[in-house]
Amino acid sequence: MASDFRIAVLGSGKGSNFVSVADACAAGKSPAQVGLVLSDVATAGILDRARERNIPARFIAPGQFRTKLDPQAEEAFIEALRGARVDLVALAGFMRVLKGDFLRAFEGRIVNIHPSLLPSFPGLEAWKQALNHGVKLTGCTVHFVDAGVDSGPIIAQQSVPVLDNDTPETLHQRIQTAEHELYPKCVAAIARGQIAVNGRRVIWGN
Ligand code: GRF
């Protein structure tokens, strides 16, 4: 289904969540289209996955910092997103924290997927944090992005069990399978205008 609701996906890695969102849109399960993919990593698989689908994909050099974009890079990302007239910015394994100008440019229109049941285990390798802590249940969270790390209003969560014989790899794989179900559903709900935010609470309408 062609749609005017345009999504950009930002990622630094292999791009499996991008694939789940883009393929749901292409299959008409979501009234949206992915119009642009951006990465801070020139060799990221997400760029290849986008190009295979004829979706415009660009590497933008992140600059001198390790965990954030430098001001010039931030400006280049904002310009690319504005140029593509995107309605929603979906982070999918984008390994840089977004700061003030970026957040203001797309206020209320940036979402992220995180591999734990937030607010447990924000930050890196959340599946390892869950294993090390010994929780019996973990999962994934889709949330709006604010100035903190994995701290914005929660849109939806999906749980998975932690099994006695799990390794970091088996647990991460189970979480990713849940992510690939949850993220396209959330993006579709946003594209349909079903999602409202009231302070910290995200309400799913009809
Ligand atoms: C996902 O596990 C996501 O939760 C985290 O980064 C990973 C990205 O994986 N933020 P992929 O590149 O979408 O396969």
Coordinates of all heavy atoms in Angstrom, one line a residue, residues 42-93:
A42 N 30.0 3.2 7.8 CA 30.0 3.1 6.3 C 29.7 1.7 5.9 O 29.1 1.4 4.8 CB 31.3 3.6 5.8
T43 N 30.1 0.7 6.7 CA 30.0 -0.7 6.3 C 28.8 -1.4 6.9 O 28.7 -2.6 6.8 CB 31.3 -1.5 6.7 OG1 31.5 -1.3 8.1 CG2 32.5 -1.0 6.0
A44 N 27.9 -0.7 7.5 CA 26.8 -1.3 8.2 C 25.9 -2.1 7.3 O 25.5 -1.6 6.2 CB 26.0 -0.2 9.0
G45 N 25.5 -3.2 7.7 CA 24.6 -4.1 6.9 C 23.3 -3.4 6.6 O 22.7 -3.7 5.6
I46 N 22.8 -2.5 7.5 CA 21.5 -1.9 7.3 C 21.5 -1.1 5.9 O 20.5 -1.0 5.3 CB 21.2 -0.9 8.5 CG1 19.8 -0.4 8.4 CG2 22.2 0.3 8.6 CD1 19.3 0.3 9.6
L47 N 22.7 -0.5 5.5 CA 22.8 0.2 4.3 C 22.6 -0.8 3.1 O 21.9 -0.5 2.1 CB 24.1 0.9 4.2 CG 24.3 2.1 5.2 CD1 25.7 2.6 5.1 CD2 23.3 3.2 4.9
D48 N 23.2 -2.0 3.2 CA 23.0 -3.0 2.1 C 21.6 -3.5 2.1 O 21.0 -3.6 1.0 CB 23.9 -4.2 2.4 CG 25.4 -3.8 2.4 OD1 25.8 -2.9 1.6 OD2 26.2 -4.3 3.2
R49 N 21.0 -3.7 3.3 CA 19.6 -4.2 3.3 C 18.7 -3.2 2.7 O 17.7 -3.5 2.0 CB 19.1 -4.5 4.7 CG 19.9 -5.5 5.5 CD 19.8 -6.9 5.1 NE 20.7 -7.2 3.9 CZ 22.0 -7.4 4.0 NH1 22.6 -7.3 5.1 NH2 22.7 -7.7 2.9
A50 N 18.9 -1.9 2.9 CA 18.1 -0.8 2.3 C 18.3 -0.8 0.7 O 17.3 -0.7 0.0 CB 18.5 0.5 2.9
R51 N 19.5 -0.8 0.3 CA 19.8 -0.7 -1.1 C 19.2 -1.9 -1.9 O 18.7 -1.7 -3.0 CB 21.3 -0.6 -1.4 CG 21.8 0.8 -0.9 CD 23.3 0.9 -1.0 NE 23.7 2.2 -0.4 CZ 24.8 2.4 0.4 NH1 25.6 1.4 0.7 NH2 25.0 3.6 0.9
E52 N 19.2 -3.1 -1.3 CA 18.6 -4.3 -1.9 C 17.1 -4.0 -2.1 O 16.5 -4.6 -3.0 CB 18.7 -5.5 -0.9 CG 20.0 -6.1 -0.8 CD 20.1 -7.0 0.4 OE1 19.1 -7.3 1.1 OE2 21.3 -7.4 0.7
R53 N 16.5 -3.1 -1.3 CA 15.1 -2.9 -1.4 C 14.8 -1.6 -2.1 O 13.7 -1.0 -2.1 CB 14.5 -2.8 0.0 CG 14.4 -4.1 0.7 CD 14.2 -4.1 2.2 NE 13.9 -5.4 2.7 CZ 14.9 -6.3 2.9 NH1 16.2 -6.0 2.6 NH2 14.6 -7.5 3.3
N54 N 15.9 -1.0 -2.8 CA 15.7 0.2 -3.5 C 15.3 1.4 -2.6 O 14.6 2.3 -3.1 CB 14.8 0.1 -4.7 CG 15.4 -0.8 -5.8 OD1 16.6 -0.7 -6.0 ND2 14.6 -1.7 -6.3
I55 N 15.7 1.4 -1.4 CA 15.4 2.5 -0.5 C 16.7 3.3 -0.4 O 17.8 2.8 -0.1 CB 15.0 1.9 0.9 CG1 13.6 1.2 0.8 CG2 14.9 3.1 1.9 CD1 13.1 0.5 2.0
P56 N 16.6 4.6 -0.6 CA 17.8 5.5 -0.5 C 18.5 5.3 0.9 O 17.8 5.3 1.9 CB 17.2 6.9 -0.6 CG 15.9 6.8 -1.3 CD 15.4 5.4 -0.9
A57 N 19.8 5.1 0.8 CA 20.6 4.8 2.0 C 21.9 5.6 2.0 O 22.6 5.5 0.9 CB 20.8 3.3 2.1
R58 N 22.2 6.2 3.1 CA 23.4 7.1 3.1 C 24.2 6.9 4.4 O 23.6 6.8 5.5 CB 23.0 8.6 3.1 CG 22.9 9.1 1.7 CD 22.5 10.6 1.8 NE 23.6 11.4 2.5 CZ 23.4 12.7 2.9 NH1 22.2 13.2 2.7 NH2 24.4 13.3 3.4
F59 N 25.5 6.8 4.2 CA 26.4 6.9 5.3 C 26.7 8.4 5.6 O 27.0 9.1 4.6 CB 27.7 6.2 5.0 CG 28.9 6.6 5.9 CD1 28.9 6.3 7.2 CD2 30.0 7.2 5.3 CE1 30.0 6.7 8.0 CE2 31.0 7.6 6.0 CZ 31.1 7.3 7.4
I60 N 26.6 8.8 6.8 CA 27.0 10.2 7.2 C 28.1 10.1 8.3 O 27.8 9.5 9.3 CB 25.9 11.1 7.6 CG1 24.8 11.2 6.5 CG2 26.3 12.4 8.1 CD1 23.6 12.0 6.9
A61 N 29.3 10.6 8.0 CA 30.4 10.4 9.0 C 30.0 11.1 10.3 O 29.6 12.3 10.3 CB 31.6 11.1 8.4
P62 N 30.2 10.4 11.4 CA 29.7 11.0 12.7 C 30.6 12.0 13.3 O 30.2 12.7 14.3 CB 29.6 9.7 13.6 CG 30.6 8.8 13.0 CD 30.6 9.0 11.5
G63 N 31.8 12.1 12.8 CA 32.7 13.1 13.4 C 33.6 12.5 14.5 O 33.7 11.3 14.7
Q64 N 34.1 13.4 15.4 CA 35.2 13.0 16.3 C 34.8 12.2 17.6 O 35.6 11.6 18.2 CB 35.9 14.3 16.7 CG 34.9 15.2 17.4 CD 35.5 16.6 17.7 OE1 36.6 16.6 18.3 NE2 34.9 17.7 17.4
F65 N 33.5 12.3 17.9 CA 33.1 11.7 19.2 C 32.7 10.2 19.0 O 32.4 9.7 18.0 CB 31.9 12.4 19.8 CG 32.2 13.9 20.0 CD1 31.5 14.9 19.3 CD2 33.2 14.3 20.9 CE1 31.8 16.2 19.5 CE2 33.5 15.6 21.1 CZ 32.8 16.6 20.4
R66 N 32.7 9.5 20.2 CA 32.5 8.0 20.1 C 31.0 7.7 20.3 O 30.5 6.8 19.7 CB 33.3 7.3 21.2 CG 33.7 5.9 20.9 CD 34.7 5.4 21.9 NE 34.3 5.7 23.3 CZ 33.5 5.0 24.1 NH1 32.9 3.9 23.6 NH2 33.2 5.4 25.3
T67 N 30.3 8.5 21.1 CA 28.9 8.1 21.5 C 27.9 9.1 21.1 O 26.7 9.0 21.4 CB 28.8 7.9 23.0 OG1 29.2 9.1 23.7 CG2 29.7 6.7 23.5
K68 N 28.3 10.2 20.5 CA 27.3 11.2 20.0 C 27.8 11.7 18.6 O 28.9 11.4 18.2 CB 27.2 12.4 21.0 CG 28.4 13.2 21.2 CD 28.2 14.3 22.1 CE 29.4 15.2 22.2 NZ 29.3 16.4 23.0
L69 N 26.9 12.5 17.9 CA 27.3 13.1 16.6 C 28.0 14.4 16.9 O 27.6 15.1 17.8 CB 26.1 13.3 15.8 CG 25.2 12.1 15.4 CD1 23.9 12.5 14.8 CD2 26.0 11.2 14.5
D70 N 29.0 14.8 16.1 CA 29.5 16.1 16.3 C 28.6 17.1 15.6 O 27.7 16.7 14.9 CB 31.0 16.2 15.9 CG 31.2 16.3 14.4 OD1 30.2 16.5 13.7 OD2 32.4 16.3 14.0
P71 N 28.7 18.4 15.9 CA 27.7 19.4 15.5 C 27.5 19.3 13.9 O 26.3 19.4 13.5 CB 28.2 20.7 15.9 CG 29.1 20.4 17.1 CD 29.7 19.0 16.8
Q72 N 28.6 19.2 13.2 CA 28.4 19.2 11.7 C 27.7 17.9 11.3 O 26.8 18.0 10.4 CB 29.8 19.1 11.1 CG 30.3 20.4 10.7 CD 31.7 20.3 10.1 OE1 32.5 19.5 10.5 NE2 32.0 21.1 9.0
A73 N 28.0 16.8 11.9 CA 27.3 15.5 11.5 C 25.8 15.6 11.9 O 25.0 15.2 11.1 CB 28.0 14.4 12.3
E74 N 25.6 16.2 13.1 CA 24.2 16.3 13.5 C 23.4 17.2 12.5 O 22.3 16.8 12.1 CB 24.2 17.0 14.9 CG 22.8 17.1 15.5 CD 22.8 17.8 16.9 OE1 23.2 19.0 16.9 OE2 22.6 17.1 17.8
E75 N 24.0 18.3 12.0 CA 23.3 19.1 11.0 C 23.1 18.3 9.7 O 22.0 18.4 9.1 CB 24.2 20.3 10.8 CG 23.6 21.5 10.1 CD 22.2 21.8 10.6 OE1 22.0 21.9 11.9 OE2 21.2 21.9 9.8
A76 N 24.1 17.5 9.4 CA 23.9 16.7 8.1 C 22.8 15.7 8.2 O 22.0 15.5 7.3 CB 25.3 16.0 7.8
F77 N 22.7 15.1 9.4 CA 21.6 14.1 9.6 C 20.2 14.9 9.5 O 19.3 14.4 8.9 CB 21.7 13.4 11.0 CG 22.5 12.2 11.0 CD1 23.9 12.2 11.0 CD2 21.9 10.9 10.9 CE1 24.6 11.0 11.0 CE2 22.6 9.7 10.9 CZ 24.0 9.8 10.9
I78 N 20.1 16.0 10.2 CA 18.9 16.8 10.3 C 18.5 17.2 8.8 O 17.3 17.1 8.4 CB 19.0 18.0 11.2 CG1 19.2 17.5 12.6 CG2 17.8 18.9 11.0 CD1 19.5 18.7 13.6
E79 N 19.5 17.7 8.1 CA 19.2 18.1 6.7 C 18.7 17.0 5.8 O 17.8 17.1 5.1 CB 20.5 18.7 6.1 CG 20.4 19.9 5.2 CD 21.7 20.4 4.9 OE1 22.3 21.2 5.7 OE2 22.2 20.1 3.8
A80 N 19.4 15.8 6.0 CA 19.0 14.7 5.1 C 17.5 14.3 5.5 O 16.7 14.0 4.6 CB 19.9 13.5 5.4
L81 N 17.2 14.3 6.8 CA 15.9 13.9 7.2 C 14.8 14.9 6.8 O 13.7 14.5 6.3 CB 15.8 13.7 8.7 CG 16.7 12.5 9.2 CD1 16.9 12.6 10.7 CD2 16.1 11.2 8.9
R82 N 15.2 16.2 6.9 CA 14.2 17.2 6.4 C 14.0 17.1 4.9 O 12.9 17.2 4.4 CB 14.7 18.6 6.8 CG 14.5 18.9 8.2 CD 14.6 20.4 8.5 NE 14.3 20.7 9.9 CZ 15.0 21.4 10.7 NH1 16.2 21.9 10.2 NH2 14.6 21.7 11.9
G83 N 15.1 16.9 4.2 CA 15.1 16.8 2.7 C 14.2 15.6 2.3 O 13.5 15.7 1.2
A84 N 14.2 14.6 3.1 CA 13.3 13.4 2.7 C 11.9 13.5 3.2 O 11.1 12.6 3.1 CB 14.0 12.1 3.2
R85 N 11.6 14.7 3.9 CA 10.3 15.0 4.4 C 9.7 13.8 5.3 O 8.7 13.3 5.0 CB 9.3 15.3 3.3 CG 9.6 16.6 2.6 CD 8.7 16.8 1.4 NE 8.9 15.9 0.3 CZ 8.1 14.9 0.1 NH1 7.0 14.6 0.8 NH2 8.4 14.0 -0.9
V86 N 10.5 13.4 6.3 CA 10.1 12.2 7.0 C 9.2 12.7 8.2 O 9.3 13.7 8.8 CB 11.3 11.4 7.6 CG1 12.2 10.9 6.5 CG2 12.1 12.2 8.6
D87 N 8.2 11.8 8.5 CA 7.2 12.1 9.5 C 7.7 11.4 10.8 O 7.2 11.8 11.9 CB 5.9 11.5 9.1 CG 5.3 12.1 7.9 OD1 5.0 13.3 7.9 OD2 5.2 11.4 6.8
L88 N 8.5 10.4 10.7 CA 8.9 9.6 11.9 C 10.4 9.2 11.7 O 10.7 8.7 10.6 CB 8.0 8.4 12.1 CG 8.3 7.5 13.3 CD1 7.8 8.3 14.6 CD2 7.6 6.2 13.2
V89 N 11.2 9.3 12.7 CA 12.5 8.8 12.7 C 12.6 7.6 13.6 O 12.3 7.7 14.8 CB 13.5 9.9 13.3 CG1 14.9 9.3 13.3 CG2 13.4 11.1 12.4
A90 N 12.9 6.4 13.1 CA 12.9 5.2 13.9 C 14.3 4.8 14.0 O 15.0 4.4 13.0 CB 12.1 4.1 13.1
L91 N 14.8 4.8 15.3 CA 16.1 4.3 15.6 C 16.1 2.8 15.7 O 15.2 2.2 16.3 CB 16.7 4.9 16.9 CG 16.6 6.4 17.0 CD1 17.2 6.9 18.3 CD2 17.3 7.1 15.8
A92 N 17.1 2.1 15.0 CA 17.1 0.6 15.1 C 18.6 0.3 15.2 O 19.3 0.1 14.2 CB 16.5 0.0 13.8
G93 N 19.1 0.2 16.4 CA 20.5 -0.1 16.6 C 21.4 1.1 16.3 O 22.5 0.8 15.8

